[in-house]
Amino acid sequence: MIQAGDKLPSVPVKLVDANGVSDADSAGILGQGRVVLFGVPGAFTPTCDTSHLPGFIGAADRIKAGGVNRIVCATVNDHHVVKAWAERSDALGKIDFIADAHGRLAEALGLAKNFGDLGRRYARFAMIARDGVVQQVFVQDVAGVTVSGAPAILLALQGEVVA
């Protein structure tokens, strides 16, 4: 699993943002400035849709005020699904999305997890990176959204310990 001090991997992905959908590289998306990346098991899935993503949408301005240049959500879904989820959630313009349809970035980060019928997806996590190097990683070990949610990231940006 990726850890603080590690360089983020370079993997081909689809970027879904306010400009639409484009072919991209994870290092290009995550490698400049201070970035908050959070991963969810799936677009439209219950906790991801009602708690994890909405928390980051609601806190986007405060997170960016904490010195973050970009907030990115990664999920193992195709770009059509991710675009529909981003639009329905009114997230575009606040949050960019990585559509990692084959889970290659999830695997490269060491953050892929088997979810039975859903297959291998992202473990629920959040991280803070600067210029492509991980500063902090928060992996959700229990159900729900605690250490990987927007409130925990806000605390981390303020320099408080997140347990």
Side-chain angles (χ1 to χ4, degrees), residues 21-95:
V21 177
S22 58
D23 291 324
D25 182 271
S26 58
I29 297 168
L30 305 171
Q32 294 181 320
R34 198 165 190 199
V35 177
V36 168
L37 170 66
F38 67 103
V40 299
F44 295 108
T45 58
T47 302
C48 307
D49 191 48
T50 62
S51 182
H52 211 174
L53 177 60
F56 277 97
I57 294 168
D61 290 340
R62 288 178 286 150
I63 290 170
K64 289 180 179 177
V68 171
N69 304 97
R70 189 176 213 176
I71 304 168
V72 181
C73 176
T75 184
V76 178
N77 292 103
D78 69 72
H79 62 280
H80 301 290
V81 170
V82 174
K83 184 174 186 275
W85 188 42
E87 289 173 346
R88 202 263 298 142
S89 299
D90 290 326
L92 296 175
K94 295 179 183 178
I95 296 174

Side-chain angles (χ1 to χ4, degrees), residues 131-144:
D131 297 325
V133 177
V134 177
Q135 293 182 305
Q136 295 176 290
V137 180
F138 309 98
V139 179
Q140 193 72 47
D141 290 330
V142 296

